[in-house]
Amino acid sequence: LFSQTSANNYNINLENFRAEVYQPGKTLQLVKFSSGFYDGILRGRGQMEMRRFIPVISAVIRVKDVSAEKLEGILIHFSKLYGKLSSQMFFVNYPQLVFRGTMRLHDGSLNNFEFLKWLANLFDLPSLKKIQFNTASADFTADKEGVGIYNMGLNSENVKIEGYFKLRENDRVSSKIFLSLRRGLLRESPRFTPLLRILDTKQELI
């Protein structure tokens, strides 16, 4: 599938797409669908119901075990994210358009994210340019209020990240990110040597 907006082009690779359509009533249509989705699986169900000449559409979509880096045609940021991704998404267009869901990744890495690259260069911590992680997760929402990523969480051997990000109208941003680094990682940087000397030696995450 290919889609184009004024700002971006989007490519979505579906293989062996199958759909079953039912019409249990004059104003209601139901659909179940499944497809190969890059190296993973996509499944879902949806419905369209006419309400006073308004088509009300809703859908639930599940994605399982897709290599995140293969999704850069959908969102360029995926090109810097590696690991197996699973997601559940919900869409409805009435009474207002809402798209929300969850994402979970496992056994992956973050490669050269701009914020982490900036920290790596600022504090002389090259290990931050590529972070191997066991699990990463987030909830997301897109509606008339804007686009948001919530309950962000990343757990790796040396780094823990939590927080949220919200983009509203007129490019207004609100965000809060908590970053914790293990003592062993901080020892790589001479800038943190004085800090480590005064902190409790039992405190691993800083």
Side-chain angles (χ1 to χ4, degrees):
L1 296 177
F2 175 79
S3 176
Q4 185 176 43
T5 68
S6 59
N8 295 293
N9 296 329
Y10 300 94
N11 292 289
I12 302 174
N13 183 13
L14 300 176
E15 296 182 0
N16 299 318
F17 181 85
R18 296 181 180 182
E20 298 178 7
V21 180
Y22 309 88
Q23 189 165 355
K26 291 182 179 180
T27 61
L28 178 64
Q29 287 188 333
L30 307 176
V31 60
K32 291 174 64 176
F33 52 89
S34 64
S35 174
F37 187 54
Y38 299 90
D39 57 344
I41 298 170
L42 179 148
R43 291 191 176 95
R45 55 185 170 81
Q47 71 174 47
M48 183 179 73
E49 183 179 8
M50 295 299 297
R51 298 182 188 173
R52 297 181 180 179
F53 305 105
I54 298 174
V56 179
I57 301 170
S58 63
V60 176
I61 303 169
R62 293 178 176 86
V63 171
K64 185 176 181 181
D65 287 339
V66 179
S67 295
E69 69 274 13
K70 295 182 181 292
L71 303 179
E72 64 174 311
I74 301 174
L75 186 63
I76 188 61
H77 299 295
F78 279 119
S79 65
K80 300 180 180 182
L81 183 61
Y82 291 79
K84 289 294 186 178
L85 180 147
S86 296
S87 178
Q88 180 169 307
M89 297 160 278
F90 172 77
F91 168 84
V92 65
N93 72 323
Y94 185 84
Q96 67 175 21
L97 191 147
V98 176
F99 180 62
R100 66 174 184 266
T102 62
M103 292 186 296
R104 302 287 183 268
L105 292 101
H106 62 89
D107 301 324
S109 64
L110 293 175
N111 294 352
N112 289 315
F113 264 69
E114 292 303 320
F115 172 67
L116 295 174
K117 278 174 60 179
W118 175 76
L119 286 178
N121 294 329
L122 179 65
F123 294 114
D124 193 19
L125 285 170
S127 294
L128 287 180
K129 293 183 179 180
K130 182 176 182 179
I131 299 175
Q132 302 283 346
F133 61 81
N134 300 318
T135 60
S137 60
D139 302 330
F140 59 87
T141 301
D143 55 28
K144 67 178 183 179
E145 302 295 330
V147 178
I149 300 176
Y150 305 95
N151 301 318
M152 288 190 294
L154 181 143
N155 286 299
S156 74
E157 183 179 354
N158 292 314
V159 179
K160 184 176 182 180
I161 299 174
E162 297 177 332
Y164 69 86
F165 173 89
K166 179 77 174 180
L167 177 63
R168 300 178 185 273
E169 286 185 285
N170 302 319
D171 294 328
R172 290 181 298 144
V173 174
S174 60
S175 178
K176 185 177 288 186
I177 305 294
F178 299 93
L179 176 66
S180 301
L181 305 177
R182 286 202 179 276
R183 183 180 292 269
L185 176 65
L186 294 177
R187 288 195 186 102
E188 295 181 7
S189 172
R191 298 185 181 220
F192 285 102
T193 302
L195 176 63
L196 292 174
R197 286 174 182 166
I198 62 175
L199 290 176
D200 186 346
T201 57
K202 296 181 181 179
Q203 185 178 351
E204 276 297 318
L205 280 172
I206 301 170

